[in-house]
Amino acid sequence: MKQKKIIAISTIGFLAAIWFIAVDWSWFVFECHDCGCFKDVLQYRVFEIPVQETVLEHQSVTQRVGIDLGVPCPHTRKEYWHKHRHRGLCICRDPCINGVYRLAADDGWYTDGVTTKIADLALKEPHVRSEYSKRVLQEHQYEFVKTILENAGVY
């Protein structure tokens, strides 16, 4: 009887160890340093192989203006990093990066009407596309985004 208890306890301990080694929930972050867009990728993984994935994409105003102008960001300076890993779905370990790492504002003002105004500006002034690409996406003069919005009549 004593030997059966030891075997049962050992088996439970072994299965628990395998569970915490094999199963995790991970949060990955993809960020573009040119346009400011980011994407959160949440994965349930078994032996680091994703079995279920959720992608939350967040477009920045800079990215949306570029798309509306017809000059989408190529994301050449994107960064990928692992924010959290919950071993066994419950213990945050290796990495466990807590704290605030980005702040967001309400961009509910960026409606279809804004998209139309910016697309119209691109048709009226074709040079704006190349200037936007050069000044914002290459030289990182982000104040030019506000200039585009003002010229389009958004403000």
Side-chain angles (χ1 to χ4, degrees), residues 31-48:
E31 296 177 297
C32 177
H33 295 289
D34 289 330
C35 71
C37 76
F38 57 92
K39 183 169 39 171
D40 293 320
V41 179
L42 312 171
Q43 296 178 338
Y44 288 97
R45 307 181 322 160
V46 177
F47 292 112
E48 297 193 6

Side-chain angles (χ1 to χ4, degrees), residues 24-28 41-45 48 50 52-54:
D24 73 64
W25 175 84
S26 286
W27 175 1
F28 298 95
V41 179
L42 312 171
Q43 296 178 338
Y44 288 97
R45 307 181 322 160
E48 297 193 6
Q52 198 264 332
E53 179 176 274
T54 303

